[in-house]
Amino acid sequence: MGKLIGNAIFGQSGGPTAVINASAAGVFTEALQQTGTIKKVFGAANGIVGILNEKFYDIGQEDPAELELLKTTPSSALGSCRYKLADQAEDDTDYKRILEVFKKHDIRYFFYNGGNDSMDTCNKISNYLREAGYECRVMGVPKTIDNDLFGTDHCPGFASAAKYIATTIMEVYLDARVYDTGMVTVIEIMGRHAGWLAASAALAAYKGHGPDLIYLPEVPFDLEKMLADVKRVYAKTGKVILAVSEGVKTRDGKFIPELVGEVSVDAFGHKQLGGTAAVLANYLKDEIGCKVRGIELSLMQRCAAHLASKTDVEESFLAGQTAVRCAVDGITDFMVGFQRPETGPYKCEIKLVPLADVANTEKKVPLEWINEEGNFIKQDFIDYAMPLIQGESKIAIEEGLPRFAKLKKVVVK
Amino acid sequence: MGKLIGNAIFGQSGGPTAVINASAAGVFTEALQQTGTIKKVFGAANGIVGILNEKFYDIGQEDPAELELLKTTPSSALGSCRYKLADQAEDDTDYKRILEVFKKHDIRYFFYNGGNDSMDTCNKISNYLREAGYECRVMGVPKTIDNDLFGTDHCPGFASAAKYIATTIMEVYLDARVYDTGMVTVIEIMGRHAGWLAASAALAAYKGHGPDLIYLPEVPFDLEKMLADVKRVYAKTGKVILAVSEGVKTRDGKFIPELVGEVSVDAFGHKQLGGTAAVLANYLKDEIGCKVRGIELSLMQRCAAHLASKTDVEESFLAGQTAVRCAVDGITDFMVGFQRPETGPYKCEIKLVPLADVANTEKKVPLEWINEEGNFIKQDFIDYAMPLIQGESKIAIEEGLPRFAKLKKVVVK
């Protein structure tokens, strides 16, 4: 393909991670250097919504030191969205609007950072622009703590969340066994459909300070079986730690809060929707009769930049940087994926995955990595995940607390 | 006082912290060096319970490198307890037993690490031993994330919890405002009677990434007032973060779960005791109608050694070390406290506080440090807490995860 001169826009979509801004840093620093082809670099406010609303920032006006700090700043610095484009055949209003905005601002490079849905969005937009005869190179940058994107060995964001989960569980493990009395601890981990994050609890167990039982959404949940598991471990040691994915459900599709906490009502008569950790802890307290504690790792597992994996930060930056380099070289309609050598030590290699292949396909934890009982993870997962969590990201510190990036966010007129 | 030759024992009591083992390292390394007076150094399994059960470990047999790792290992390495000694006048069984064990093992130095109750225990034991004519030097080493011990400027453990709370809230703050839709986040922080930990959320606000509202147990809680506060902030920005101490209660003594979540019942008819964050989030969801999230910082806030304050680690070590040096020098019946210069930069100075003064007295957040509305913290607290959270503790890392101390725990016959 020939040289394409114009402006570039980058957007962040879906739930944030500890390293999504590292990808932003990769896109921005590389795009700002491509002065021969990319004239201006824009950041869309709240992803595709910012494009539709014609609200984006002029990244060229940002202080390079602040862009560098993006590498260690969690969450989505530009703002994110969960907006889903309609099927073009049914309603092409948004597509027309995007074409209009792109034309008006001479946007010839579109980089979008997100998960399955975002790759679908990229793909749809690219197809529309092509049909409309508007030349624009569209590249996806992967992002999801859930690690469930098709076609890539792993996803930026996953390893930092995994490192947070494993480290935190190791610390909680020590805390939860200080007394010489029985205790059951339920740790709820994110992951609605795929259990990669809950599986990461096994890294703590590998280090001798982890859960006794791990339940993933990949295996149908059986309340009776789980209770028997807990009772067995409790009888042996008096201490039980369960790592439970928020997405575990029974064979007929019932989530844990529906199984054991459904009918609770507060003082005002409002229905309470308890979290998995809380309701399971209450259930086990009644069944086992000992002290229990439900812990939800909540937003912390996806925003703990202070505990990010250096490998993850570097790879996330690389993904953004590579997307720009590819696009400038004439490549379009791919997501930047990763692969590792089939044998030998871990190395992160780039692999381009067609957007159409990624869109709306989920990658789950292989069933052969889960033990037969369906309550723990095998060594295969440890071998897979361990290289990804290596290295400690050094966040900037000011007065003993993080110094996160402060962007000027100069809105493009 | 003359030279007292004999064995030393150290015990850990109450809820653990990120740095209680740093004090253990201080006691152990110093006591092992006092070879002229201290013959053997023991660690009591589960605090005073280990003394009563005559179960303690021979610390002289531990690898010095592992004792060094105690500085960065959270929780209570020896195990803890919540055992309360009876009033001697009513029942002296435990006291007789302690005297018997101390005599049998020639224990002449007793170091106890804990909060109010533990200092009370120290005091009672010391009085009994003195009355019985058994010479033993008893020193208290302070410990509590709650920071509520009388007579000391601050308590080992508090600053690391404060640093964790402030850092985590800064990260959550960024995460909680990625979407262009309304959101209320309730963060529940430990502290049943004193609000020092919830106040630490103000450190995040000082850095521009903190809560809008902070509620402490020092101020009577008013549900209507809180709702009005939230509505006011929400109307202005569409995002509200509340930091709430688990101990806040109304003027007539009702805790939040009792106020808004009391009657909830699970699917099995069991009464559910929701946490403050969860029930308050549900309440605000109904009242405000936007997305809400309740986050409980749970055990993580007291065991996050990976995010400990270097100042806190060093001071905790110093407290243990000083207790031993004082006792060897003939001092007894004091807790090692801290003070800072009245003017000039922060410096940690040792201050000995009589055990009798510490026992069972609580130090709360001064009311003049809380704003008039009772929903935020003034600069006085920032000035107080900021020096304490300085410096990042460097934990040992092995394969990307913490390498915590592994003690042999050779039981004394």
Side-chain angles (χ1 to χ4, degrees), chain B residues 274-288:
Chain B
T276 297
V279 300
L280 200 52
N282 271 312
Y283 170 76
L284 289 171
K285 186 177 184 170
D286 291 328
E287 293 292 335
I288 311 280

Side-chain angles (χ1 to χ4, degrees), chain A residues 14-16 46 49 73-76 79-82 163-164 166-168 170-172 174-176 178-180 183 190 203 206-207 209 223 259-268 270 272-273 278-279 282-283 286 293-300 302-307 386 389-392 397-402 404, chain B residues 14-16 46 49 73-76 79-82 163-164 166-168 170-172 174-176 178-180 183 190 203 206-207 209 223 259-268 270 272-273 278-279 282-283 286 293-300 302-307 386 389-392 397-402 404:
Chain A
N46 298 103
V49 172
T73 300
S75 190
S76 303
S80 185
C81 68
R82 289 208 181 273
K163 191 178 177 99
Y164 173 87
T167 302
T168 298
M170 288 179 73
E171 292 173 337
V172 166
L174 291 178
D175 192 296
V178 291
Y179 299 116
D180 54 353
M183 179 151 175
M190 282 181 169
L203 296 167
Y206 172 74
K207 288 287 175 186
H209 298 91
L223 191 66
L259 278 179
V260 295
E262 195 171 21
V263 299
S264 64
V265 172
D266 76 6
F268 296 85
H270 304 133
Q272 296 250 14
L273 297 171
V279 300
N282 271 314
Y283 170 75
D286 291 327
R293 195 179 269 271
I295 296 177
E296 189 185 345
L297 295 185
S298 193
L299 299 181
M300 290 83 86
R302 74 179 190 194
C303 68
H306 77 271
L307 195 50
M386 198 51 97
I389 64 162
Q390 297 307 306
E392 287 66 54
I397 299 284
E398 212 173 65
E399 293 185 287
L401 291 172
F404 295 136
Chain B
N46 298 103
V49 171
T73 300
S75 189
S76 303
S80 184
C81 67
R82 289 206 181 273
K163 191 179 176 97
Y164 173 87
T167 302
T168 298
M170 288 179 73
E171 292 173 337
V172 165
L174 291 178
D175 193 296
V178 292
Y179 300 115
D180 54 353
M183 179 152 175
M190 283 182 170
L203 296 167
Y206 171 73
K207 288 287 174 187
H209 297 91
L223 191 67
L259 277 180
V260 295
E262 195 172 22
V263 298
S264 66
V265 171
D266 76 4
F268 296 85
H270 304 132
Q272 296 249 18
L273 298 169
V279 300
N282 271 312
Y283 170 76
D286 291 328
R293 194 179 271 270
I295 297 177
E296 188 185 347
L297 296 185
S298 194
L299 298 182
M300 290 82 86
R302 74 178 189 195
C303 68
H306 76 269
L307 195 50
M386 198 50 98
I389 64 161
Q390 297 306 305
E392 287 65 55
I397 298 284
E398 212 174 65
E399 292 185 288
L401 291 171
F404 295 135

